[in-house]
Amino acid sequence: MNIWESARIAVRALRVNKLRSVLTMLGIIIGVGAVIAMVGVGAGAQASVTERIESLGSNLIVATSGSVTSTGVRLGLGTQYTLTEDDAAAIAREISAVQVAAPSMKGKGQVVYGNLNWSTDVYGVTEDYLEARDWPLDAGRPLDAHDVDGATKVAVLGQTTVQKLFGDSDPLGQIIRIQKVPFTVIGLLAGKGESAYGWDQDDVVLIPLSTAKKKVLGTTQPNPRSVRKVEIKILPGDDMDEAEAQIRALLRQRHRLQPGDDDDFKLGNLTDVLETKEQAAQIMTYLLAAIASVSLLVGGIGIMNIMLVSVTERTREIGLRMAVGAQGRDILLQFLVEAVTLSVIGGVLGIAAGLTGSRAISHFAEWRTLVAPDTIVLAFGFAAAIGIFFGFYPARKAARLDPIEALRYE
Amino acid sequence: MALIVIEELTKDYRLGSHTVHAVRGLTLRVARGELVAIMGPSGSGKSTFMNILGCLDSPTGGRYLLDGEDVAGLSPGELARIRNGKIGFVFQTFNLLARTSAVENVELPLIYAGRPARVRRARAREVLAAVGLADRAHHHPSQLSGGQQQRVAIARALVNDPAVLLADEPTGNLDTRTSVEILVLLQQLNRQGITIVLVTHELDIAAFASRVLTLRDGRLQRDEPVLSPRDASVAQAQLEEEAVA
Ligand SMILES: Nc1ncnc2c1ncn2[C@@H]1O[C@H](COP(=O)(O)OP(=O)(O)OP(=O)(O)O)[C@@H](O)[C@H]1O
Ligand SMILES: [Mg+2]
């Protein structure tokens, strides 16, 4: 007997007890639906985090000036800047995986326009900065090499700063004062949103690094070439860890550190932070899936229960089938197919329920949900597997019946 | 060689501490083309014996050769194959599948024989026509009379061309008229060459057979040929005359 024959018999048997079959399927429908909806919620959260990683600029390694221990006194991170513009230039020059290395300074500054003033982060940057951060402009032009070399007094504003100082009027070409120094606004940055740590990345003013050092942030550093950070963008496709190791080796060599010495800088991979968050989101997905799977399991137990009842009720039928020549495996197949039919139909309806459910969650809770096709395939496969697993015991019980005892069963 | 060879066949049932000896050493042969009736009081082991003949149950001891094949030591799977191919079994209670049409009931053994659907359907219709139910093919058992249901069961037993048709009290649930109708059918089949063994309580029914075996306490008490078996179709004609009169 082939599988289609069994499937036909199974569907017919299920139609005899329609309500019972539907109720049994309901367990699987709810189970599969819950798995799909929950994984959808988890994957949606994960996707949001991933997007944030991308907004920070992927392939970014940040070198931060660190503590100096030459005098035996460990100074806090960044107190005395150990990195220099020359380090940045050397990194860009000597490491082939580096697309661009952008040195920068940062400080708080009062920005005034007309009678409005706003305290914001002032970054002294080079022409490479926006490329390193994957940060496009909305309007105007970026800082160029001429601005940096000539220490011109021009500024590019982040969206929050624009909002605070200009409201709806056009800032391009206007003069603002940063720490009382007048600057011409030449460009407006595109919005970037919150950082991985939750601060507003759009609350900034970018000015040339040279200008910042001379006029705005003032330099208390012994070395006028020092910078606080170097943002290094790695070429797509190159290995981040390997690039990081090369940068570390180069900086250690340039800073003349002996093998036993600590680094006097810190290399951070911005994505590290977010990967941790992404992992957390993934764990949440697994957790939700696990909880939802419990209901699928309960659905499976429901199938087993109903199949056991069915085998008992149909003992005489089984006896008769055996009497006319059914082998144990024919009976096994028949009941197994019946269980799998229940779980597979339940699975299909469950997928529909899960998709509807995750839509509803997106709509009413305004959470992002994301149902990937492989989730659907997996949930469906899982449902079928549940049918086989929980259908097997009742089916084997049926297959092992003794024909004459089954025929005599009252 | 005889179709059925039974030697020193025994069957014991264990009920807790004591043992019931349902069949105690039967030895007999049935040749091809016979119509054998098995009689005997209730509890004499007729059904037990029939179930062993039908390979539904296995004997405790002795030998059973069916069509030359030793059946005693076969596995459940091989027994299923023999039930499917060599034996047609008819039950007192018909044992048709409910909510399943007559023709589908008849098809059942062919499904397990692995025949393709088209062949099955054609063959089932043919056999249903042979038992006089061509026009009832799509009726469900609940829409058929007892006699019609038993005909469907006989068609099911015949559909796979068995070597022997076994019937345990096939007329036990039917009235006299319908019983005779079934006997007409069985005699007809027997004349076409099918070997039949049937169990009955009634002498009237046994009179249609060519040989009567009588069991008592699991033993063969008598084994006698019927010199001139009654013709069921004649009996049917007589019954109809009586009904008219
Ligand atoms: N499954 C069983 N378990 C225990 N004892 C059984 C079983 N089946 C039959 N017996 C016993 O075996 C003996 C023979 O029973 P069997 O059913 O063969 O009799 P029978 O001749 O068919 O009777 P009847 O004419 O009433 O149908 C009886 O004593 C019965 O109690
Ligand atoms: Mg009996």
Side-chain angles (χ1 to χ4, degrees):
Chain A
M1 191 166 72
N2 67 34
I3 196 110
W4 290 115
E5 216 63 76
S6 310
R8 232 170 37 93
I9 295 174
V11 169
R12 168 183 288 235
L14 293 174
R15 288 224 308 254
V16 169
N17 278 306
K18 279 197 203 73
L19 182 62
R20 188 161 92 181
S21 304
V22 168
L23 289 175
T24 310
M25 271 178 211
L26 204 56
I28 297 294
I29 294 172
I30 291 172
V32 170
V35 168
I36 287 181
M38 291 300 102
V39 171
V41 167
Q46 218 172 312
S48 306
V49 174
T50 309
E51 241 166 48
R52 265 203 232 162
I53 293 183
E54 274 153 16
S55 84
L56 274 170
S58 45
N59 300 355
L60 193 64
I61 293 174
V62 180
T64 311
S65 287
S67 52
V68 176
T69 51
S70 55
T71 58
V73 183
R74 177 178 279 263
L75 300 167
L77 195 71
T79 341
Q80 188 176 348
Y81 294 163
T82 52
L83 294 171
T84 64
E85 292 173 48
D86 307 313
D87 285 335
I91 289 168
R93 195 174 55 236
E94 287 177 30
I95 297 170
S96 59
V98 171
Q99 181 180 334
V100 70
S104 67
M105 299 286 278
K106 177 193 164 186
K108 271 278 171 203
Q110 279 294 325
V111 185
V112 180
Y113 174 70
N115 57 357
L116 294 170
N117 81 68
W118 179 243
S119 172
T120 183
D121 285 332
V122 179
Y123 282 74
V125 299
T126 63
E127 66 275 17
D128 295 329
Y129 186 76
L130 293 183
E131 184 183 349
R133 302 261 341 246
D134 272 329
W135 203 341
L137 284 184
D138 258 2
R141 68 167 180 89
L143 299 170
D144 57 22
H146 167 78
D147 295 318
V148 177
D149 293 343
T152 57
K153 286 181 265 182
V154 293
V156 174
L157 306 187
Q159 293 224 321
T160 305
T161 314
V162 169
Q163 197 109 91
K164 295 294 176 187
L165 293 177
F166 293 92
D168 290 334
S169 63
D170 182 12
L172 283 180
Q174 301 299 324
I175 306 292
I176 56 171
R177 288 172 182 276
I178 305 171
Q179 305 292 72
K180 304 202 171 77
V181 182
F183 281 81
T184 310
V185 177
I186 56 164
L188 305 178
L189 292 165
K192 219 168 176 33
E194 264 185 16
S195 79
Y197 306 93
W199 76 67
D200 180 3
Q201 299 182 87
D202 296 324
D203 190 4
V204 289
V205 175
L206 307 184
I207 59 176
L209 179 60
S210 44
T211 320
K213 282 185 178 174
K214 283 181 201 146
K215 303 265 163 70
V216 181
L217 302 175
T219 173
T220 54
Q221 301 291 322
N223 180 355
R225 303 280 294 163
S226 340
V227 290
R228 181 167 167 273
K229 271 187 177 182
V230 181
E231 259 127 325
I232 305 153
K233 185 175 164 91
I234 305 303
L235 286 166
D238 271 296
D239 185 65
M240 293 289 281
D241 292 336
E242 201 181 308
E244 198 174 312
Q246 286 175 359
I247 293 166
R248 171 164 285 119
L250 178 65
L251 287 176
R252 285 184 67 89
Q253 183 208 333
R254 287 181 57 84
H255 294 188
R256 303 208 165 73
L257 298 175
Q258 297 306 310
D261 293 348
D262 287 344
D263 289 344
D264 63 354
F265 54 88
K266 212 182 99 189
L267 289 184
N269 193 329
L270 262 180
T271 51
D272 281 351
V273 187
L274 282 157
E275 263 165 21
T276 325
K277 284 201 165 192
E278 199 176 18
Q279 267 168 16
Q282 196 157 30
I283 288 168
M284 181 175 93
T285 310
Y286 289 151
L287 213 71
L288 288 172
I291 293 168
S293 304
V294 171
S295 59
L296 194 52
L297 208 68
V298 172
I301 293 169
I303 287 190
M304 182 151 160
N305 185 22
I306 232 58
M307 289 311 295
L308 282 172
V309 170
S310 175
V311 167
T312 307
E313 279 179 354
R314 284 150 69 193
T315 300
R316 277 177 72 91
E317 175 195 324
I318 295 165
L320 185 269
R321 286 180 184 277
M322 286 177 159
V324 300
Q327 309 262 343
R329 61 163 187 272
D330 295 327
I331 302 294
L332 184 91
L333 196 65
Q334 177 188 335
F335 281 89
L336 206 53
V337 166
E338 200 171 312
V340 172
T341 304
L342 274 176
S343 71
V344 161
I345 296 176
V348 169
L349 296 177
I351 287 167
L355 290 173
T356 315
S358 58
R359 283 261 163 80
I361 291 172
S362 296
H363 185 77
F364 293 112
E366 292 186 349
W367 287 350
R368 183 160 164 201
T369 59
L370 197 92
V371 181
D374 52 350
T375 312
I376 294 176
V377 172
L378 204 73
F380 183 77
F382 203 48
I386 286 251
I388 293 173
F389 184 79
F390 287 99
F392 187 75
Y393 174 72
R396 198 187 57 170
K397 203 177 156 196
R400 287 193 174 175
L401 284 173
D402 185 59
I404 192 67
E405 271 164 30
L407 275 171
R408 277 204 203 106
Y409 184 84
E410 294 298 325
Chain B
M1 172 142 189
L3 179 64
I4 292 172
V5 177
I6 300 286
E7 280 168 11
E8 287 304 317
L9 193 81
T10 60
K11 177 72 184 178
D12 300 336
Y13 288 112
R14 231 164 234 298
L15 280 181
S17 56
H18 76 288
T19 310
V20 179
H21 302 285
V23 175
R24 326 176 175 225
L26 280 184
T27 299
L28 60 93
R29 277 155 194 255
V30 176
R32 269 169 231 279
E34 283 192 88
L35 200 174
V36 182
I38 300 180
M39 297 202 64
S42 187
S44 56
K46 305 183 293 294
S47 292
T48 305
F49 179 52
M50 283 298 271
N51 291 337
I52 292 172
L53 280 185
C55 292
L56 291 167
D57 209 352
S58 43
T60 311
R63 261 155 59 85
Y64 170 21
L65 302 186
L66 174 63
D67 206 7
E69 191 166 4
D70 191 345
V71 171
L74 294 183
S75 72
E78 288 165 324
L79 288 175
R81 182 178 52 76
I82 291 195
R83 289 196 294 271
N84 184 246
K86 292 203 171 170
I87 294 165
F89 209 104
V90 177
F91 303 88
Q92 179 175 352
T93 52
F94 321 137
N95 273 335
L96 298 177
L97 292 185
R99 300 185 201 83
T100 306
S101 69
V103 68
E104 285 172 310
N105 264 291
V106 175
E107 264 183 60
L108 208 55
L110 297 176
I111 291 181
Y112 296 114
R115 296 292 145 71
R118 274 215 348 265
V119 175
R120 279 192 330 238
R121 191 46 63 98
R123 171 70 184 147
R125 284 180 175 286
E126 187 186 332
V127 183
L128 262 185
V131 301
L133 286 178
D135 54 340
R136 295 285 193 275
H138 295 290
H139 286 54
H140 286 193
S142 59
Q143 300 161 331
L144 295 171
S145 73
Q148 287 169 333
Q149 289 186 53
Q150 194 61 300
R151 282 161 188 271
V152 173
I154 290 169
R156 180 179 65 193
L158 291 172
V159 77
N160 213 8
D161 285 323
V164 60
L165 187 75
L166 303 173
D168 191 355
E169 301 196 39
T171 59
N173 280 14
L174 304 175
D175 62 25
T176 316
R177 262 179 67 97
T178 323
S179 297
V180 171
E181 259 174 51
I182 294 294
L183 260 300
V184 171
L185 176 60
L186 291 179
Q187 272 190 343
Q188 215 175 2
L189 293 166
N190 182 243
R191 280 191 206 112
Q192 289 162 16
I194 295 169
T195 311
I196 298 176
V197 179
L198 64 86
V199 168
T200 180
H201 267 125
E202 296 169 63
L203 270 170
D204 284 354
I205 299 289
F208 296 105
S210 61
R211 175 182 172 194
V212 178
L213 303 176
T214 311
L215 297 191
R216 180 165 216 112
D217 290 334
R219 290 200 177 83
L220 192 59
Q221 191 190 31
R222 266 203 306 266
D223 177 355
E224 40 192 19
V226 178
L227 295 176
S228 52
R230 285 182 69 193
D231 188 330
S233 43
V234 172
Q236 190 180 26
Q238 276 174 4
L239 276 175
E240 257 151 44
E241 260 172 45
E242 282 168 29
V244 172

